Amino acid sequence: MDAEQAEVRTLQSEVAALRPTPGEDTARIQKSFQEIYQTDSEGRESLKDLRSNLEHLESELLFLSTLTGINIRNYSKKTENLMNTEVAEKNIKKVLQSHRLSGNCHMITFQLEFQILEIQDKENLSSVITDLNIIMEPTSYSELSEFVSRAEERRDLFMFFRSLHFFVEWCEYRKRTFKHFKEKYPAAVHLSEGVSSSYMKVQSASKPGFELVIVWRIQIDEEGKVLPKLDLLTNVPQQALKLDKKGVIETAHLSFRSLLGVLGIEAALESLIKSLCIEKNTSSQIVNTQESDATPEGM
């Protein structure tokens, strides 16, 4: 009996030794809560930083969109590691990135598919566009077709975005200019295709049969530079041509180019419209700047 009681007391003392004291238990609980709070706080700070970075990137993207007029709506990316025995032995890493995106620059929409090959060795990292495919929505801007083919051939993304931006800016300027003159001279100015037209007709109410046509093209050269090109076409009665002994009407397009070089686009168009709308001799008014020595730049 004494032996059993001794064994019971031994077990009780072992259990008592394993049971924490009230102070130790409280300290352990507080430590656990502190660890949980610290982890939660770190998570909240990380999320806060992530949100801040996202807001910053959105602000930067909005600024670029406002500045360039280019908006990216959808984007996806796939990455593929290109490894073989020879590359592995030379400690060279090759990664092929496939990108797809769609967006618009004002009224012109586009889709791009391109691949970038990244090659990294111990010292250098290089990347090159290996393929570029540009899909444009059908537009009335025939000038873009040849330019897109050239950008694809050169695999030049920078030239595509830069030239597209300036091309659209010139289109918008042409539209605003034509709209301005149509509103100012509604009886004389005619836009058969609306304000988005590439040409403007000027007709004289007092001189039936006299018509001037301003053709305003927007060209993109081999290097992607965007340039406006304005030409003047004349449509006058045959009798007026016979009376034009000095060839004023025949050389009107040359005088118009000189006028562009001296006055600029808007002032030159204003002068041309006024020359046809006033009551005086129309033919001589068109070329009142023929004696000017100025030559246009970039036309």
Side-chain angles (χ1 to χ4, degrees):
M1 189 68 175
D2 293 337
E4 291 178 355
Q5 290 178 350
E7 185 176 353
V8 170
R9 284 194 293 273
T10 301
L11 290 173
Q12 289 176 340
S13 61
E14 290 178 355
V15 170
L18 293 173
R19 184 182 298 123
T21 61
E24 291 177 347
D25 192 38
T26 301
R28 184 181 301 174
I29 293 172
Q30 289 177 343
K31 184 179 180 181
S32 298
F33 274 114
Q34 287 174 353
E35 291 175 352
I36 293 172
Y37 178 77
Q38 183 177 359
T39 302
D40 188 48
S41 297
E42 291 175 353
R44 285 199 300 269
E45 289 297 323
S46 177
L47 182 60
K48 185 178 179 181
D49 291 340
L50 183 61
R51 286 176 178 172
S52 177
N53 290 335
L54 182 60
E55 289 174 356
H56 175 71
L57 290 174
E58 288 177 344
S59 176
E60 293 265 327
L61 185 60
L62 179 61
F63 171 75
L64 289 174
S65 296
T66 304
L67 184 66
T68 64
I70 296 174
N71 299 295
I72 304 301
R73 296 193 304 269
N74 297 299
Y75 171 75
S76 63
K77 171 185 173 183
K78 292 182 179 179
T79 303
E80 178 184 359
N81 290 319
L82 305 178
M83 297 295 293
N84 55 46
T85 305
E86 181 181 356
V87 171
E89 288 176 354
K90 294 181 179 180
N91 198 22
I92 298 175
K93 182 180 179 181
K94 291 186 176 182
V95 177
L96 183 65
Q97 300 177 0
S98 298
H99 302 262
R100 297 184 66 181
L101 62 87
S102 62
N104 68 282
C105 185
H106 292 278
M107 65 289 188
I108 296 176
T109 58
F110 58 84
Q111 295 180 31
L112 298 181
E113 297 178 357
F114 58 97
Q115 292 183 332
I116 298 178
L117 178 62
E118 287 189 351
I119 303 176
Q120 183 175 10
D121 56 23
K122 293 181 180 180
E123 298 179 354
N124 300 309
L125 173 63
S126 62
S127 60
V128 60
I129 297 176
T130 59
D131 185 53
L132 174 60
N133 183 31
I134 304 172
I135 303 170
M136 303 287 291
E137 293 289 335
T139 69
S140 58
Y141 304 105
S142 58
E143 303 93 334
L144 285 176
S145 178
E146 184 178 348
F147 160 68
V148 166
S149 298
R150 192 160 57 246
E152 287 180 328
E153 183 180 350
R154 297 185 181 184
R155 299 191 294 272
D156 195 333
L157 269 176
F158 176 73
M159 183 179 76
F160 170 74
F161 283 116
R162 180 195 60 193
S163 301
L164 181 62
H165 162 67
F166 286 111
F167 179 85
V168 170
E169 276 203 341
W170 272 110
C171 288
E172 290 295 313
Y173 175 60
R174 179 178 64 186
K175 183 188 298 185
R176 291 194 304 269
T177 304
F178 281 176
K179 182 175 182 291
H180 164 73
F181 286 117
K182 176 60 179 175
E183 292 175 348
K184 188 172 183 178
Y185 303 99
V189 173
H190 301 273
L191 302 171
S192 57
E193 298 179 3
V195 293
S196 297
S197 178
S198 61
Y199 63 93
M200 178 176 72
K201 293 181 179 181
V202 182
Q203 298 173 343
S204 172
S206 61
K207 304 287 183 182
F210 280 83
E211 181 181 75
L212 301 178
V213 181
I214 298 96
V215 181
W216 187 343
R217 300 182 183 90
I218 301 169
Q219 298 181 335
I220 306 176
D221 68 10
E222 290 291 327
E223 301 303 318
K225 187 177 180 180
V226 182
L227 299 168
K229 182 176 176 59
L230 285 82
D231 289 307
L232 175 66
L233 306 178
T234 58
N235 183 16
V236 300
Q238 192 67 29
Q239 184 180 1
L241 287 175
K242 292 179 180 179
L243 296 174
D244 183 22
K245 303 300 182 179
K246 295 183 179 180
V248 171
I249 297 174
E250 185 179 350
T251 59
H253 65 288
L254 299 177
S255 300
F256 176 61
R257 291 198 172 189
S258 297
L259 200 64
L260 286 169
V262 174
L263 301 179
I265 293 177
E266 291 186 43
L269 294 180
E270 181 91 36
S271 176
L272 198 65
I273 295 170
K274 286 182 176 180
S275 73
L276 196 62
C277 291
I278 59 179
E279 293 296 330
K280 295 181 181 179
N281 186 287
T282 304
S283 300
S284 60
Q285 289 293 322
I286 294 174
V287 290
N288 56 5
T289 57
Q290 191 173 11
E291 291 79 11
S292 173
D293 293 329
T295 56
E297 297 180 3
M299 296 291 176

